[in-house]
Amino acid sequence: MAETDRKLSNGKSRIDFNTDPSRYRHWKLAVNGDVATLTMDVDEDAPLFEGYQLKLNSYDLGVDIELADALERLRFEHPAVRVVLLRSGKPRVFCAGANIRMLAGASHAHKVNFCKFTNETRNAIEDMSASSGLKTICVVTGSCAGGGYELALAADHIILVDDGSSTVSLPELPLLAVLPGTGGLTRVTDKRRVRRDHADVFCTTEEGVKGKRAVEWKLVDEVVPNSKLDDTVAARAKEFAAKSGRPVSAKGITLAPLEVKSTTQGREYKHVGVEITDRIATITLRGPAGVPPANPEALVAQGSAFWPLALARELDDAILDIRLNEFDVAAIVFKSAGDPAAVLAYDKFLDDNKDHWLTREIRLKWKRVLKRVDLTSRTLVTLVEPGSCFAGTLAELIFAADRAYMLVGQRDGDNRPPPQVVLGAVNFGAYPMSNGLTRLATRFLDDDASLAAAKKSIGQMLDADAAEELGLVTFALDDIDWEDEIRVFLEERSSFSPDGLTGLEANLRFGGPETMETKIFARLTAWQNWIFQRPNAVGEEGALRRYGTGQKAVFDTKRV
Amino acid sequence: MAETDRKLSNGKSRIDFNTDPSRYRHWKLAVNGDVATLTMDVDEDAPLFEGYQLKLNSYDLGVDIELADALERLRFEHPAVRVVLLRSGKPRVFCAGANIRMLAGASHAHKVNFCKFTNETRNAIEDMSASSGLKTICVVTGSCAGGGYELALAADHIILVDDGSSTVSLPELPLLAVLPGTGGLTRVTDKRRVRRDHADVFCTTEEGVKGKRAVEWKLVDEVVPNSKLDDTVAARAKEFAAKSGRPVSAKGITLAPLEVKSTTQGREYKHVGVEITDRIATITLRGPAGVPPANPEALVAQGSAFWPLALARELDDAILDIRLNEFDVAAIVFKSAGDPAAVLAYDKFLDDNKDHWLTREIRLKWKRVLKRVDLTSRTLVTLVEPGSCFAGTLAELIFAADRAYMLVGQRDGDNRPPPQVVLGAVNFGAYPMSNGLTRLATRFLDDDASLAAAKKSIGQMLDADAAEELGLVTFALDDIDWEDEIRVFLEERSSFSPDGLTGLEANLRFGGPETMETKIFARLTAWQNWIFQRPNAVGEEGALRRYGTGQKAVFDTKRV
């Protein structure tokens, strides 16, 4: 269940991450040549949960699910779009940020996972720009506050209308005693390069900044009077479009709705099975049934049914479903079923056609899904057993896991051959983690010899001993030990403090360098989560609870 | 007051950070030629607070204050020492880590600030190696658990005795539901380069790792049987000593006890005054009375009375005193009094003699003290007023502050000249922050033109308008606005949520790159602080509270 204390306002029992433009309540997506306009026009009477209204273009997870969907469709369904204009459909407000009543009433687990999803969505806007050449221009008219400004911060260019009342602001701290936690603090200093003392003033000034000072302090890129707004927006769109490398006249594919059935113990997608027992979710990824298409045209014809794309979308959905609907799950066990050679054939197809816009988008989709896996606060375990197909792209799930176990030899009474792992070139560059390194480079931090040895093995079928020798799996176990070892490990894991594990894994998974993205998920998010536990914010007399009640918050004055 | 709920066992009302070897209860410092031995032999009957014993070489802040003092003395009093051996004075235990009863009974504010101090002390061990050529070898005999192993991790080289029972372990998560938060998780992956899946196994294995596996997993550098321990330690000490650049026969100076008097509203040191009113602590740094010594020999003769060193030690003590004894202080206001030219003369002396071991140590001391300022979770404000001497080294306090205000012109009724700021070469390299950048480079992140303009101004007396123009101060205000603006700002700051400010400042102060050090203070510490708030650790049924009671902890199973 999503929440024990709140009801979804659509009457369902699970949060659904699937939507499409025909069902949007909060956004409008309009495409005109190479420019798309994404208009935020939140329906205040369509909150995700019962009990609050989404006034002033404020958002909850439901609003953000639509935004994330729109971004995916721009990538796949509209490959000729080069510039997205982010605009508001409300007259005097751009966006008031995350809905405060929603936050005040949400469980800690929902709040934290809501924030994570919104962060991933803003990162996807930046990835769209950096990797796909799809640029975003944010046109701020009206008040742009908190999460609203954090959304603007994800854009390549921010235009603020100079009408005497339109402002940008991060009023979280003075109003709510929480942080601008959706990347706000990090992007202000690390992306916009706002001077830290200016940032300090800005983030403690409830009413925000407007006009010339907003440009001087680098909070926006330009301020434009209303009379010149349309011309300026059109000119900027043209400039950014000219810099984009997106295909001029490519026709997109349609992202078909995911088909998923509930089962007694989980969910079944076409290529992904999820089974939950005893707080352990087992996700099985099924390899391709056939062979790759003959050429890119045939790929486009397959569209979203193309196995790697279908699998990525289903895995993404399965992970999100567990994150937000199954808080009790302690660990996710990844398994796979299929022919490693067939998986490698698909990787080869994507490699051979890597300059095609659609193969590029599919690889980028996998990059994002694998990052979502890395950032999922559940223990991740990969089991490499007979019949599995952890090759190339799918082998990333071995390296994303906190631990991987591989069976040595065959299983008693099972005549399938011993399992094998195969690396591909794809494991050495296509899927960087949010720290900027591949999963193998993170694994072998500064151990160039091990990384080189792994690379030399590309294409080789590695049995358990070879994989362990190369450092690719944690433990190679034979059939006699397998069942007990895995059972004891999973039971032990379920017995540990869930919070302790969240903290442990968040540290151990991200060795080495930090990027703006990891800073957002570590430095910023961890502090925000701490604040989300502190009485000064969430207690009965805390600012988040008292906001809008007319009563002032009462603070414990101790500085920690 | 340090704690409202606990009494210091020495009967005093404040934690005292001053000590010297003659007063140590927990450590022995022995110097033999170029090798020093620092032996941990904790007196279990001398805890800092009443109510617990320091069994099994476990530690509290009191133990760590002595360690920090010993490290300072090695730098200043024993310049010929090249290698420090970290050893245990107890037969079967190296160190059991932070005392659990102390942690379980400590306030959140004490716990967090205790951890910060221990982290700074371990960083100082690494800085000693990197900057001063003073290497540390940790000789692990017996059980080395939790914070004990985190201490070992700070060393350059870890020797583990191979006696069948000596182990290294990080059992915090399984035993206490908290993290190895004193740098443990970060150093395991980022310094020792332990593979992340091995680290996962290690950090969830209560009993730890010993013998060959400890080396294979890179947890220690070598395992040595008891029979060969003495020879190996002697050989390693010789090897590391040979690599050190410390002066061969230099005679040290004595770090005299700090003289500090309590006043009605604060504390008075020789060069530093502290005044606390309305939750604001004003720290005034007084410039030098005379001129620098004629040469390094005269400097050595002055010893710890040499103004820059005396000031650094006093400022350090004042900051620590506020951190651990004055939790209610919301903001620290830095002021200075003196002649900028006199300050610059001392900077010049240090520059002119920068190859002397003592000038180097004094600069490194300032580096550490300024880092301590950066990491202090209080709002930092610097006020540049008539009579101030924010020049060179002291100007760093302008850039360390969250905001700096500077008076334009003179003050009504005050015939002192308008205040001036002067930069020196020292502001462009000598004092990197923990992110590896200078404060000015952090301030002008990626804004090379502003950084270059600041550099060009070296030696120029800058009035408020010039300093504001160069981006060195946040606001230049004239006398008419000054008092109201500052008052309103400080009142407003005191009215905000202390937690929100801690999180805000921890983010805005550290733009740009991250280092192992900043990862420890951000990613690791912020997660640990979150866990220190979670009922699974600190609740009535939480693991930290129930440890040793015979009752199992009860966990909320939700994963966040």
Side-chain angles (χ1 to χ4, degrees), chain A residues 11 111 113 386 427 451 464 511 559:
Chain A
K111 235 181 330 235
N113 279 285
N427 303 114
L451 191 61
R559 266 285 214 158

Side-chain angles (χ1 to χ4, degrees), chain A residues 458-474:
Chain A
I458 285 178
Q460 291 170 28
M461 292 283 179
L462 306 167
D463 65 15
D465 289 328
E468 191 187 37
E469 176 71 25
L470 283 169
L472 302 179
V473 297
T474 317

Side-chain angles (χ1 to χ4, degrees), chain B residues 325-339:
Chain B
N325 291 320
E326 298 286 353
F327 291 122
D328 254 357
V329 164
I332 296 174
V333 174
F334 291 109
K335 297 187 178 189
S336 64
D339 175 9

Side-chain angles (χ1 to χ4, degrees), chain A residues 197 328 403 474 506 523 557, chain B residues 197 200 328 403 474 506 523 557:
Chain A
D197 55 341
D328 255 356
R403 295 189 199 182
T474 317
R523 183 182 277 278
T557 54
Chain B
D197 54 342
D200 181 90
D328 254 357
R403 296 189 198 180
T474 317
R523 183 182 277 277
T557 55

Side-chain angles (χ1 to χ4, degrees), chain B residues 154-459:
Chain B
D156 293 286
H157 190 81
I158 307 175
I159 300 173
L160 174 64
V161 70
D162 194 9
D163 58 2
S165 67
S166 292
T167 53
V168 295
S169 65
L170 291 176
E172 285 89 340
L173 182 109
L175 285 185
L176 308 169
V178 303
L179 301 183
T182 311
L185 294 183
T186 312
R187 286 201 176 86
V188 161
T189 55
D190 283 43
K191 180 180 182 180
R192 303 283 320 176
R193 308 296 189 184
V194 175
R195 233 172 62 200
R196 55 169 281 207
D197 54 342
H198 289 158
D200 181 90
V201 177
F202 176 61
C203 298
T204 53
T205 304
E206 218 175 287
E207 63 273 22
V209 170
K210 63 186 173 185
K212 209 172 57 152
R213 175 174 273 190
V215 178
E216 282 169 5
W217 284 13
K218 305 186 191 169
L219 296 165
V220 305
D221 293 286
E222 54 183 325
V223 284
V224 179
N226 245 321
S227 59
K228 293 190 182 154
L229 188 61
D230 290 347
D231 287 351
T232 304
V233 170
R236 290 300 164 270
K238 211 171 165 183
E239 285 165 32
F240 276 97
K243 286 186 267 180
S244 171
R246 292 205 99 196
V248 174
S249 56
K251 220 179 134 303
I253 62 167
T254 299
L255 295 176
L258 295 183
E259 287 165 40
V260 54
K261 282 195 304 252
S262 286
T263 62
T264 46
Q265 305 218 291
R267 291 149 71 79
E268 276 297 320
Y269 301 81
K270 190 151 193 283
H271 307 286
V272 172
V274 182
E275 204 184 284
I276 300 177
T277 45
D278 297 332
R279 300 185 54 216
I280 307 296
T282 301
I283 297 185
T284 303
L285 308 175
R286 290 186 283 269
V291 296
N295 51 46
E297 292 68 42
L299 159 66
V300 172
Q302 284 193 17
S304 65
F306 180 61
W307 173 78
L309 177 55
L311 183 68
R313 291 178 70 212
E314 291 176 2
L315 174 58
D316 203 34
D317 194 67
I319 293 286
L320 287 172
D321 180 65
I322 291 170
R323 273 199 197 170
L324 270 301
N325 291 320
E326 298 286 353
F327 291 122
D328 254 357
V329 164
I332 296 174
V333 174
F334 291 109
K335 297 187 178 189
S336 64
D339 175 9
V343 174
L344 292 174
Y346 273 84
D347 272 344
K348 183 173 184 307
F349 174 82
L350 290 171
D351 266 343
D352 289 347
N353 298 286
K354 66 171 185 287
D355 295 329
H356 192 269
W357 73 267
L358 182 52
T359 58
R360 191 171 63 226
E361 284 303 338
I362 290 166
R363 279 273 157 91
L364 292 170
K365 175 75 182 172
W366 266 100
K367 181 179 77 172
R368 293 195 301 285
V369 175
L370 289 166
K371 282 185 182 185
R372 185 107 78 193
V373 170
D374 296 331
L375 287 162
T376 296
S377 63
R378 315 295 168 105
T379 294
L380 305 173
V381 193
T382 299
L383 301 184
V384 189
E385 298 171 287
S388 66
C389 56
F390 287 111
T393 293
L394 293 195
E396 286 295 305
L397 288 163
I398 299 177
F399 316 131
D402 299 304
R403 296 189 198 180
Y405 292 82
M406 187 164 176
L407 188 80
V408 178
Q410 287 177 289
R411 198 163 261 168
D412 199 28
D414 178 348
N415 61 8
R416 287 177 300 179
Q420 295 184 305
V421 164
V422 199
L423 299 185
V426 78
N427 303 113
F428 296 85
Y431 307 127
M433 298 172 59
S434 45
N435 67 2
L437 303 181
T438 62
R439 281 172 196 78
L440 279 173
T442 302
R443 189 175 186 82
F444 299 124
L445 218 50
D446 264 12
D447 178 358
D448 296 343
S450 293
L451 190 60
K455 201 163 187 176
K456 225 177 131 189
S457 86
I458 287 178

